């Protein structure tokens, strides 16, 4: 084990990790259900679904079987001029749960590229129509990914600071927390009424990487209504919120007006393989349905619609749409609600909140409530020493577990959270 870790240190650059001063990574030998296992016998609860991707538990036999069968039949084929059954079946499955105004699926590799595709489609929509609408509206605190387009529509922070001079201009409105809803809505309408706005991008109901900040479906509905009344394209970044995380299959299901584009990834394959899609409404498609070759959407990836990844996604979709999964989602949501009520008055807690299977706890801390708040190191270390994987966002930590987590396992996580909160009072 030590030999493998020394090779890792010598060879590998890990994401979001300093090259000096970071703790040694944990070596994982195998995983099953909600547990990650180390070679020396540790059994760690993956309470964040390995960066929110795992829906049904690690090494799920149904998904593993689908991957193995597809790998033995067709591992990959260029997707320009060719197609295959797993992608066709996945497009059918996704369109079953997407809003009725959606008609096409565009495949990519991950969440950031799914957002990038959506932005490019929105921009080219107006280009194809010969209309000058270059302004884009986004919400302060947003995180949409690490490619240049997705960084441009994300909050300016330590994540994007070195690249700020290269990002395109975006009109940001405030985060619509309850006491600021009217002001944000007024600001939003003023920008749109000023003209020239081509698109509005948002994370529906939850800003995930921004600190699991939650806002109401009502204010988002008002924003989308005003945008669409002025022919502004609405882009829902459901990379995190898709596939049941908010208690419904899509966060957009909580909202009456539907977006024009939806970016999906993370849970798409049940956490097995990288895959992203941009779902496209008939309105957007209409600007590209022409024999004019110059109006083609010239975008693609070498592994677009990889058959093995699509097979994994289809297997995950079957699990997701079973009654058992629906019951699990409801149970997790109910347990979270009860726990929020229990700890919200704790002196160490600034706010505990939940939406569906998402539980977030924001701590009362000195200093800023940002990703770089030093308490994140203490939070991570406390829980990992007790064999629970939680990856804090500054002074906010959260539980986003696989849907197979049991009540007993959840209550164990809750007990350790309460122990941690009590240690904050005693220090």
């Amino acid at each position: 084990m030590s030999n493998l870790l020394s090779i890792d240190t010598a060879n590998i650059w890990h994401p979001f990790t300093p090259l000096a001063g970071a703790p040694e990574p944990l070596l994982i030998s195998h995983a099953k259900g909600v547990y990650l296992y180390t070679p020396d016998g540790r059994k760690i609860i993956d309470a964040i679904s390995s960066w929110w991707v795992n829906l049904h538990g690690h090494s799920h036999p149904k998904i593993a079987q689908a991957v193995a069968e597809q790998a033995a039949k067709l591992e990959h084929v260029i997707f320009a001029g060719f197609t295959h059954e797993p992608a066709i079946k996945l497009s059918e499955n996704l369109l079953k749960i997407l809003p009725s105004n959606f008609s096409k699926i565009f495949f990519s590799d991950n969440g950031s590229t799914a957002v990038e595709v959506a932005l490019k489609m929105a921009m080219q929509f107006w280009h194809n129509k010969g209309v000058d609408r270059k302004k884009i509206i986004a919400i302060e605190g947003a995180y949409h990914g690490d490619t240049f387009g997705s960084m441009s529509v994300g909050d300016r922070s330590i994540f994007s600071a070195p690249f700020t001079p290269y990002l395109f201009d975006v009109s940001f409105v405030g985060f619509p927390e309850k006491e600021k809803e009217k002001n944000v809505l007024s600001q939003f309408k003023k920008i749109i009424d000023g003209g020239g706005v081509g698109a509005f991008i948002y994370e529906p109901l939850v800003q995930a990487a921004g600190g699991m900040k939650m806002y109401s479906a009502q204010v988002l509905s008002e924003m989308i209504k005003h945008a669409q009344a002025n022919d502004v394209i609405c882009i829902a970044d459901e990379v995190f919120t898709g596939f049941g995380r908010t208690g419904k299959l899509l966060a957009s299901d909580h909202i009456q007006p539907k977006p024009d584009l939806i970016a999906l990834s993370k849970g798409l394959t049940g956490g097995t393989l990288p895959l992203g899609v941009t779902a496209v409404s008939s309105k957007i498609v209409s600007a590209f349905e022409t024999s004019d070759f110059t109006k083609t959407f010239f975008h693609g990836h070498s592994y677009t619609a990889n058959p093995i990844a699509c097979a994994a996604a289809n297997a995950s979709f079957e699990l997701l749409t079973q009654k058992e999964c629906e019951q699990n989602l409801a149970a997790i949501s109910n347990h979270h609600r009860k726990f929020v009520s229990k700890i919200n008055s704790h002196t160490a807690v600034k706010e505990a909140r939940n939406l569906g299977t998402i539980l977030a706890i924001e701590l009362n801390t000195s200093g800023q409530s940002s990703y770089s708040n030093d308490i994140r190191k203490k939070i991570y270390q406390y829980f990992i020493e007790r064999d629970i994987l939680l990856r804090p966002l500054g002074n906010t930590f959260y539980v986003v577990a696989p849907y197979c987590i049991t009540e007993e396992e959840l209550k164990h996580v809750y007990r350790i959270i309460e122990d941690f909160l009590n240690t904050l009072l005693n220090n």
Side-chain angles (χ1 to χ4, degrees):
M1 182 172 75
S2 60
N3 184 49
L4 284 174
L5 287 174
S6 64
I7 295 171
D8 178 286
T9 301
N11 294 356
I12 297 175
W13 194 336
H14 288 267
F16 299 97
T17 305
L19 288 179
E24 189 175 65
L26 283 173
L27 181 64
I28 300 301
S29 59
H30 61 290
K32 186 70 177 174
V34 298
Y35 293 101
L36 306 169
Y37 296 87
T38 64
D40 58 359
R42 289 181 67 183
K43 182 180 175 183
I44 301 167
I45 293 179
D46 184 358
I48 61 165
S49 298
S50 285
W51 255 342
W52 323 334
V53 301
N54 194 289
L55 299 187
H56 313 293
H58 292 278
S59 305
H60 196 286
K62 183 178 180 67
I63 301 177
Q65 182 182 359
V67 167
E69 289 177 358
Q70 187 58 49
K73 187 162 47 178
L74 173 65
E75 84 298 346
H76 188 61
V77 63
I78 181 175
F79 208 59
F82 291 83
T83 193
H84 50 78
E85 184 179 357
I88 295 168
K89 183 178 178 183
L90 181 55
S91 71
E92 288 184 308
N93 282 335
L94 292 174
L95 286 169
K96 287 176 189 174
I97 66 169
L98 285 162
S100 59
N101 59 319
F102 281 73
S103 61
K104 295 281 188 185
I105 301 296
F106 190 95
F107 291 91
S108 59
D109 303 303
N110 57 63
S112 186
T113 53
V115 169
E116 201 85 6
V117 166
L119 289 168
K120 289 177 68 175
M121 283 181 173
M123 293 171 178
Q124 191 174 337
F125 174 89
W126 296 115
H127 174 82
N128 283 4
K129 286 182 169 293
V131 177
D132 184 19
R133 284 194 176 216
K134 294 185 174 66
K135 290 183 189 174
I136 296 176
I137 302 177
I139 297 174
E140 288 177 359
Y143 175 82
H144 294 288
D146 300 322
T147 50
F148 270 85
S150 59
M151 279 195 298
S152 294
V153 294
D155 199 47
R156 302 299 193 259
S157 65
I158 59 171
F159 293 100
S160 59
F163 317 108
T164 299
Y166 310 101
L167 305 180
F168 57 74
D169 289 335
V170 172
S171 297
F172 287 96
V173 295
F175 179 76
E177 54 195 309
K178 192 168 183 61
E179 61 273 19
K180 296 181 180 177
E181 287 181 352
K182 287 184 179 178
N183 288 340
V184 171
L185 194 55
S186 175
Q187 181 188 12
F188 181 78
K189 289 180 176 179
K190 186 177 180 180
I191 295 171
I192 288 181
D193 294 347
V197 179
F200 165 46
I201 184 168
Y202 56 91
E203 297 160 277
L205 306 186
V206 186
Q207 282 192 341
M212 294 294 168
K213 295 188 294 184
M214 300 175 185
Y215 63 109
S216 75
Q218 183 177 354
V219 70
L220 181 56
S221 293
E222 288 298 314
M223 294 169 83
I224 296 171
K225 281 179 186 175
H226 190 75
Q228 292 182 336
N230 289 272
D231 208 19
V232 173
I233 295 168
C234 293
I235 303 170
D237 176 356
E238 295 232 29
V239 170
F240 168 64
T241 56
F243 306 109
R245 288 296 180 200
T246 64
K248 293 182 181 287
L249 289 179
L250 298 172
S252 295
D253 292 340
H254 293 276
I255 304 156
Q256 187 53 46
K258 302 306 179 187
D260 303 294
L261 291 156
I262 299 178
L264 294 164
S265 187
K266 290 201 179 288
L268 180 56
T269 68
T272 303
L273 287 164
L275 186 66
V277 302
T278 303
V280 191
S281 67
S282 298
K283 171 185 174 177
I284 303 301
V285 169
S286 67
F288 296 85
E289 288 181 319
T290 171
S291 57
D292 184 347
F293 186 67
T294 65
K295 294 184 177 180
T296 301
F297 186 59
F298 293 109
H299 185 106
H301 301 268
S302 301
Y303 284 92
T304 293
N306 174 260
I308 304 174
C310 289
N314 286 320
S316 178
F317 185 88
E318 283 187 43
L319 294 168
L320 180 70
T321 51
Q322 287 177 357
K323 190 71 176 176
E324 181 183 358
C325 189
E326 182 183 338
Q327 292 169 343
N328 289 349
L329 290 172
I332 294 168
S333 302
N334 187 46
H335 293 318
H336 282 349
R337 275 194 299 273
K338 290 178 181 177
F339 187 61
V340 164
S341 297
K342 182 179 181 182
I343 65 165
N344 228 339
S345 58
H346 195 288
T347 309
V349 175
K350 182 178 180 181
E351 184 188 43
R353 48 190 179 262
N354 91 284
L355 177 63
T357 68
I358 307 161
L359 166 69
I361 299 164
E362 187 175 351
L363 299 173
N364 272 319
T365 55
S366 57
Q368 55 185 351
S369 301
S370 70
Y371 184 83
S372 57
N373 190 305
D374 277 346
I375 199 169
R376 64 189 174 84
K377 299 174 185 176
K378 183 176 182 178
I379 297 169
Y380 178 82
Q381 199 61 34
Y382 186 92
F383 286 96
I384 205 67
E385 286 174 358
R386 290 155 181 79
D387 293 331
I388 297 172
L389 172 57
L390 293 180
R391 189 176 172 88
L393 300 160
N395 68 328
T396 298
F397 64 99
Y398 60 90
V399 176
V400 179
Y403 301 152
C404 63
I405 195 167
T406 65
E407 181 178 357
E408 182 182 348
E409 289 162 343
L410 261 180
K411 286 184 175 179
H412 173 68
V413 174
Y414 294 157
R415 280 195 297 272
I416 304 301
I417 289 174
E418 287 187 90
D419 290 346
F420 173 73
L421 295 175
N422 291 332
T423 65
L424 293 178
L425 295 182
N426 298 326
N427 289 339

